[in-house]
Structures are given as C-alpha cells and as structure tokens.
C-alpha cells in the first residue's frame, strides 16, 4: 500500500471530543468515524486490526471444538417472549416494527435464538456437547455511549453457547472456554485476568469476567496481585486438567465491585498483595444451567430413557472493544508511540523514505524494497508523501506499525536502517530483515 493512495485520514491534533487515549488515537489515525451517537464506521486501518483480532478469536474457538455459525442481527420478539426477557431487557433493546407490524428487535445477545436453533435439531444426549458460536454485530441502546468503540451502541461480539447433558459436562464446557479465553488474550499480548463476576440480567451461577488493567476502565477491581504471575501454558483439553486450571486462578481473590466484600478481601489477601484498580472487561463467561432451555423447552433424551432440559452456558468476547482495549494497554500517550502486536498490526512493515524534490532515487529505492517484501508475503506500507522524514516517523509512531525501514540521505549500499518501534535502529540487509519478519509471522 502506498500511503498517498490509501484511505487513512490522519488528523494533525488529538480530537477534543475524545476523553481516553484509545478513542483519541483511533480518531487521530483514522481507524473509525462516528456516524451517530455510539455508532461507528470502521475505516481501513481500524477494520484491518479488528478483522485480525476476530481471526485469532475464531481460531481459539475452533481449537476447543466450537463450531461457527452466523445468526441474523434482526430477531423476532416471539422467542424473547417465550424466555420472558422481552419485557425484562428494558430500554437497552432496540425494538423495531416491520411492515406487517410484527415486533422485531436488533439482537443485543443470542441465548434465545441459539436455543431455538438447537431445539429444532438436537434431540439426543448422543449429540452433546454442542458448542456453537458466531461473530456478529450487536445493538444495545446504552444510556451513556462513550469512549468511542469501548462503550458504543452497535458493536462486534463473539458469542458462544454450550449445550450439555448434565451440570458436570456443562462445567467441562465452561472450562474449555475458560482455557480458550486465556489463550486468546495471550495471543493478543494482553494480560486478561479472570475475575469472579456477577451474572447480571443474563443470569446463572458460575461466571467470570476477563479484565485487563487500565486506568480508564469502567470496572473497579479488587485482586490479589499474585494472580498476574499465573499462566495457562501446557493445559490440555481434559476434564481434570481444565478444572485444575480454573481452580489455580480461583485460589486468588479477584473480583469486580459487584462481588466485592471488604471483609473477605482483607481476610484473604495480605496487605502487600492487595491491588485495587480499574480495568476493561474484554470477555465474560456464564454458566446458567436450564435458565433458557426450560422456558424454551430445549430438552434431549437421556441414556436412561427420560428427557431433561439441556444445561447451557454463554461466552462473549468484545471483538470491537478489544481494538480500543489493546490501545489502552499498548499506547504510550506521553511519547506518542503505539506498537501493535505483530499478529494484529494494520501493516507489518512501514517503509519511510526521505523524499527529495530533485532526486527520485530514495523513492525508487523504497519502491523496490516495497516490491521485495510484497512478493515475499509481508504486508508493507510505504510513505511516498512529499513530507519530511521526522513527521513521517511521528505519523508512523502513532499508526503503530511495529517495524520500520528508514531510507534517509545517507542511505546507499546494501545495509538498511531497520527499526522495531521503541527500540534502537540496526543496519541490516534486505534478507536479514525478511528473516526477522518471517520469524514474527511464525510466532503466531
Ligand atoms: P458491560 O458490563 O461492559 O456493559 P456486559 O456485561 O453487558 O458488559 P456481555 O453481555 O457479557 O457484556 O457482553 C460480552 C462482551 O461484549 C463484554 O465483555 C464486552 O467486551 C463487550 N461489550 C458489551 N457491551 C458493549 C458495548 N456497549 N460496547 C462495546 N463492547 C461491549
Ligand atoms: Mg452491558
């Protein structure tokens, strides 16, 4: 991509309406554009990052045996009346009447719809477990949409649903998602901590929110610091080891404010390990048994001949919110440097030539380098604008492409100035640079 032909509308200054760094940066480098309150268009740079995050989320769902489907955004009110949530959901639900005056709605979540899909086809315990997920736009008419795409009205979510024959099997499914969430956030280079959570209007009894620390987060958290040293490596998809994995995290007190009890916190966590701070909720998992299967009559034949309602859980990840959350975690707003994790960066390499009015040689050289990386499968962007080099470097520090090649005046011969954002430059050959980039690709 040549930046002169790209649709990357960069602003000179931080927009004043944005209060937090992710919102500022996303507007500043043209990742999104607001179209109305809490509703955004995704421009090429932002869209690319979101799609890459989506793909990582998808891969980790597939790894635990979840199957991808796609349910519509518009739902009929019928099934919501069956579950009893049509009235309960309140004003966050966007209600629409079609031309026949049928009551429709823009889905805020999909428990009812997926249960309806399930009950129409699955009749026997032999077909269980079923883990189904989709990645789709949701609409919630939030009272106070704010912070850009972090709390908006239309947002992109991965939501998964599990169906099992018994509580025990359902907890196994829950634990699979628990594992897949740890892995997903790790691949996104985020430290997301599972915290015991309230179950809210979705209901149920076992629930964790996955939260990343950020001063601008809306969740207040109370946690034992030692939970940050845990990791999920080596876990296999087997009942006991997954149960142990979850227990390993649960041994440390870690809750959001809805579940917080001062006495418990002070009893369970020694003073030096206490951490009270704020965070962003990037995922939420629930186990809620037959809360929906019962009213919607989703049951299966059991081995002993009887029938029972299936036991369900639901598992969300805020795919669009993650774009902002990753910026909150990675952007240094004092130095004005963003560095996207390589796996989700909008481009893998930026080529920044100094452009000389009377001499095309640096641009020509940059174009050749660009072609070289292009044919070798590296997604590069070249800044071919007639602008001084230091403003190009500043611009790309904001865009956050993790690697740069800088072609200045002195640049001749085989060695190039190559730089990982935030680190010192090195002089390397094209082949050496390619090797580094390919290694990064393979890491994921
Ligand atoms: P919150 O407490 O932030 O409102 P929630 O508990 O209502 O979230 P869920 O219903 O569990 O959220 O949705 C799953 C995920 O979708 C959340 O973890 C979050 O990452 C994302 N999400 C929820 N509401 C929004 C929103 N208004 N804008 C962007 N992302 C959202
Ligand atoms: Mg909410």
């Amino acid at each position: 991509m040549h930046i002169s032909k790209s649709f990357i509308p960069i602003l000179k200054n931080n927009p004043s309406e944005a209060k937090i760094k992710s919102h500022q940066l996303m507007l500043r480098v043209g990742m999104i554009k607001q179209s109305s309150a809490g509703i955004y268009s995704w421009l090429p740079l932002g869209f690319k990052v979101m799609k890459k995050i989506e793909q990582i989320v998808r891969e980790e769902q597939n790894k635990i045996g979840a199957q991808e489907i796609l349910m519509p955004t518009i739902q009929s009110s019928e099934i919501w009346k069956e579950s009893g949530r049509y009235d309960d959901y309140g004003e966050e639900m966007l209600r629409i009447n079609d031309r026949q005056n049928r009551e429709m709605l823009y889905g805020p979540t999909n428990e009812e719809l997926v249960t309806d899909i399930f009950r129409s086809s699955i009749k026997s315990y032999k077909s269980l477990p079923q883990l189904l997920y989709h990645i789709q736009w949701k609409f919630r008419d939030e009272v106070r949409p704010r912070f850009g795409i972090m709390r908006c009205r239309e947002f992109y979510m991965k939501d998964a649903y599990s169906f099992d024959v018994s509580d025990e099997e359902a907890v196994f499914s829950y634990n699979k998602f628990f594992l897949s969430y740890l892995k997903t956030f790790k691949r996104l280079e985020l430290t997301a901590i599972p915290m015991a959570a309230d179950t809210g209007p979705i209901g149920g009894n076992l629930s964790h929110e996955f939260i990343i620390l950020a001063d601008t987060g809306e969740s207040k958290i109370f946690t034992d610091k030692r939970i940050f040293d845990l990791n999920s490596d080596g876990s296999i998809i087997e009942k006991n080891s997954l149960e142990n994995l979850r227990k390993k995290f649960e041994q440390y007190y870690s809750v959001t404010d809805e579940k917080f009890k001062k006495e418990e916190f002070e009893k369970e966590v020694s003073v030096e390990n206490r951490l009270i701070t704020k965070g962003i909720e990037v995922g939420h998992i629930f186990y809620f048994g037959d809360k929906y299967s019962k009213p919607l009559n989703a049951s299966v034949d059991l081995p002993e001949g009887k029938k029972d309602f299936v036991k369900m859980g639901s598992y969300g990840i805020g795919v669009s919110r993650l774009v902002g959350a990753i910026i909150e975690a990675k952007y240094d707003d004092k130095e004005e440097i963003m560095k996207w994790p390589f796996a989700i960066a909008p481009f893998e390499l930026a080529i920044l030539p100094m452009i000389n009015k009377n001499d095309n040689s640096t641009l020509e050289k940059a174009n050749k380098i660009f072609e070289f990386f292009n044919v070798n499968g590296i997604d590069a962007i070249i800044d071919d604008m007639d602008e001084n080099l230091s403003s190009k470097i500043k611009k790309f520090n904001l865009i956050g492409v993790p690697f740069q090649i800088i072609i200045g005046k002195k640049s001749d011969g085989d060695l190039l100035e190559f730089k990982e954002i935030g680190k010192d430059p090195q002089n390397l050959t094209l082949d050496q640079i390619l090797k580094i980039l390919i290694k990064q690709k393979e890491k994921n």
Side-chain angles (χ1 to χ4, degrees), residues 171-184:
V171 171
F172 182 31
S173 290
Y174 184 92
N175 291 341
K176 289 179 195 168
F177 283 99
F178 191 94
L179 170 72
S180 90
Y181 277 39
L182 292 174
K183 298 212 165 215
T184 302

Side-chain angles (χ1 to χ4, degrees), residues 193-206:
I193 300 297
M195 305 206 174
D198 230 24
T199 45
I202 297 195
N205 40 37
L206 180 58

Side-chain angles (χ1 to χ4, degrees), residues 88-245:
D88 291 354
Y89 213 93
E91 295 197 304
E92 267 192 26
M93 181 185 275
L94 179 67
R95 296 155 206 261
I96 307 160
N97 282 5
D98 71 9
R99 67 202 297 166
Q100 321 285 0
N101 216 23
R102 277 183 296 242
E103 292 173 317
M104 311 295 284
L105 57 102
Y106 196 122
T109 179
N110 282 58
E111 282 78 8
E112 285 79 357
L113 193 49
V114 78
T115 306
D116 180 51
I117 292 169
F118 175 90
R119 71 181 173 185
S120 65
S121 302
I122 303 289
K123 306 289 180 199
S124 162
Y125 75 95
K126 288 181 190 152
S127 310
L128 301 183
Q130 285 290 330
L131 313 180
L132 301 174
Y133 74 98
H134 78 158
I135 305 174
Q136 178 63 292
W137 294 94
K138 301 287 182 294
F139 195 96
R140 294 182 186 173
D141 204 352
E142 301 271 359
V143 212
R144 272 213 299 158
R146 60 198 161 134
F147 302 152
I149 49 85
M150 295 285 251
R151 177 164 304 282
C152 46
R153 297 198 296 166
E154 191 181 49
F155 60 97
Y156 203 42
M157 196 209 280
K158 184 286 299 178
D159 42 325
Y161 303 88
S162 62
F163 302 86
D164 279 281
V165 67
S166 65
D167 281 323
E168 189 197 326
E169 291 300 317
V171 171
F172 182 31
S173 290
Y174 184 92
N175 291 341
K176 289 179 195 168
F177 283 99
F178 191 94
L179 170 72
S180 90
Y181 277 39
L182 292 174
K183 298 212 165 215
T184 302
F185 297 127
K186 191 164 183 188
R187 280 181 69 184
L188 297 173
E189 296 180 21
L190 288 175
T191 309
I193 300 297
M195 305 206 174
D198 230 24
T199 45
I202 297 195
N205 40 37
L206 180 58
S207 174
H208 288 87
E209 285 177 359
F210 286 76
I211 298 213
I212 65 164
L213 299 189
D215 297 336
T216 47
E218 293 185 278
S219 307
K220 197 157 185 213
I221 58 178
F222 302 84
T223 175
D224 186 326
K225 277 181 201 158
R226 289 173 296 174
I227 200 168
F228 289 93
D229 301 329
L230 297 177
N231 73 59
S232 56
D233 288 345
S235 299
I236 45 162
I237 302 181
E238 185 273 324
K239 249 183 210 166
N240 286 327
S241 63
L242 287 185
E243 186 70 14
N244 291 337
L245 172 73

Side-chain angles (χ1 to χ4, degrees), residues 199-384:
T199 45
I202 297 195
N205 40 37
L206 180 58
S207 174
H208 288 87
E209 285 177 359
F210 286 76
I211 298 213
I212 65 164
L213 299 189
D215 297 336
T216 47
E218 293 185 278
S219 307
K220 197 157 185 213
I221 58 178
F222 302 84
T223 175
D224 186 326
K225 277 181 201 158
R226 289 173 296 174
I227 200 168
F228 289 93
D229 301 329
L230 297 177
N231 73 59
S232 56
D233 288 345
S235 299
I236 45 162
I237 302 181
E238 185 273 324
K239 249 183 210 166
N240 286 327
S241 63
L242 287 185
E243 186 70 14
N244 291 337
L245 172 73
R246 202 186 85 227
K247 292 269 157 66
K248 189 168 88 180
F249 279 87
E250 286 177 336
Q251 71 182 303
Y252 296 118
Y253 190 93
S254 225
V255 303
T256 58
D257 47 356
E258 295 128 356
K259 274 228 154 170
F260 175 68
K261 289 208 181 72
K262 193 160 176 277
E263 317 76 67
E264 270 175 21
F265 186 53
E266 287 172 0
K267 197 173 127 223
E268 284 182 42
V269 190
S270 62
V271 179
E272 69 276 12
N273 287 327
R274 285 179 204 160
L275 178 68
I276 302 179
T277 183
K278 284 185 186 156
I280 301 167
E281 178 193 325
V282 288
H284 199 165
I285 59 181
F286 302 89
Y287 172 54
F288 45 72
D290 61 7
K291 183 169 186 225
Y292 299 96
S293 55
K294 201 169 176 180
L296 288 161
N297 197 19
S299 59
V300 291
D301 295 328
L302 301 180
E304 9 3 315
K306 285 186 303 196
K307 257 174 171 307
D308 198 9
F309 301 116
V310 283
K311 306 290 187 288
M312 292 175 59
S314 76
Y315 315 88
I317 290 184
V319 176
S320 53
R321 179 181 284 182
L322 269 170
V323 180
I326 292 167
I327 296 174
E328 291 296 323
K330 307 279 175 204
Y331 178 45
D332 178 343
D333 58 340
K334 300 229 164 49
E335 302 289 327
E336 300 206 312
I337 293 181
M338 174 63 196
K339 186 181 174 204
W340 288 101
F342 189 83
I344 57 165
F347 293 96
E348 293 166 334
L349 173 69
I351 301 165
L352 311 179
M354 187 185 92
I355 300 210
N356 208 322
K357 279 220 172 63
N358 320 313
D359 171 13
N360 260 338
S361 64
T362 45
L363 184 58
E364 273 167 24
K365 181 169 180 180
N367 276 324
K368 283 208 184 98
I369 293 172
F370 175 77
E371 264 323 306
F372 170 82
F373 284 105
N374 203 21
V375 297
N376 281 290
I378 301 296
D379 188 11
I381 181 164
I382 170 168
D383 193 337
D384 55 342

